[in-house]
Amino acid sequence: SSGINAEYGDSAECNTMPSPIKCIQGDGSDMTAKNCLPAQGEAAPTKCSQAKFLEYTGLAAGQNYACGACAANSGATCQDCDGNTDAACNTKIETAESFKCYDYEVKEEKLVKKETSVTCQRLKDTAIKCNMPGTAADTTYSVKNNGCGPCVEADKTSNKCADCDEGECNSAFAVTAFVLPLLAAFYFLL
């Protein structure tokens, strides 16, 4: 018996498992941190994971709160953090109130605003932004994120995209695209 104690130690600590990390687990309906116990024959998890928030889109679909790191090649939809024994690190992502923007489509060889606006999601400190076709946009231009969020800088610089900072503010393009040619026609008639 003394040989075993000498090899493994005498303290009570030698017979205890390390404390498990805590993670929020499941679909998010219960945001209580729970212990992450290892599966039979596996090492104890050291990370917690959750759905990634995609700016102006919302939480990525198909990803629950969980113990363990994100699966390989899931970086577009999953984010993980280093777990600890005191509290979960995969907490609810703070968001701000959603807002609405308009998307555009090609009809009769023109980019036109769709009738119904779309709902845009944002993080707590993200400003409201909508984008729309700019003055140089043609029928090959594709509005980004269904009209939610700012323009890509290259599109904005080349006037293929314009953006604004209020909900549903990106409805002006359809009016501008119709009124400017009409005004030009009247000018030439005079």
Side-chain angles (χ1 to χ4, degrees):
S1 160
S2 64
I4 292 174
N5 286 341
E7 186 177 341
Y8 294 106
D10 262 339
S11 72
E13 291 176 24
C14 72
N15 292 324
T16 61
M17 297 285 291
S19 296
I21 64 168
K22 293 183 183 296
C23 296
I24 295 170
Q25 301 169 40
D27 62 7
S29 56
D30 178 5
M31 296 300 285
T32 307
K34 296 178 181 68
N35 288 339
C36 292
L37 301 173
Q40 184 70 29
E42 292 186 15
T46 60
K47 292 187 175 282
C48 301
S49 57
Q50 69 189 91
K52 182 179 271 188
F53 188 88
L54 308 172
E55 196 69 84
Y56 302 109
T57 301
L59 290 173
Q63 177 68 45
N64 282 338
Y65 291 89
C67 297
C70 294
N73 301 319
S74 65
T77 58
C78 182
Q79 64 186 35
D80 55 32
C81 52
D82 293 327
N84 66 68
T85 58
D86 300 324
C89 62
N90 61 340
T91 57
K92 183 176 179 178
I93 296 171
E94 292 186 57
T95 58
E97 189 174 332
S98 61
F99 61 99
K100 292 185 177 275
C101 294
Y102 288 99
D103 196 2
Y104 285 76
E105 62 187 342
V106 176
K107 277 190 177 175
E108 299 176 15
E109 300 300 315
K110 295 178 193 169
L111 281 166
V112 294
K113 176 181 68 96
K114 291 183 178 180
E115 284 188 34
T116 307
S117 57
V118 296
T119 301
C120 310
Q121 307 295 332
R122 63 191 175 123
L123 293 171
K124 183 177 97 175
D125 295 323
T126 300
I128 293 174
K129 284 275 188 195
C130 295
N131 71 81
M132 62 193 139
T135 56
D138 59 20
T139 56
T140 63
Y141 178 73
S142 178
V143 172
K144 307 302 183 261
N145 296 320
N146 300 317
C148 297
C151 297
V152 174
E153 195 58 40
D155 289 345
K156 191 170 185 171
T157 302
S158 65
N159 293 320
K160 289 183 177 181
C161 182
D163 52 31
C164 53
D165 57 6
E166 294 178 15
E168 295 182 324
C169 61
N170 65 338
S171 64
F173 174 77
V175 174
T176 305
F178 174 73
V179 172
L180 288 179
L182 190 62
L183 288 175
F186 281 131
Y187 178 77
F188 287 113
L189 289 175
L190 299 173

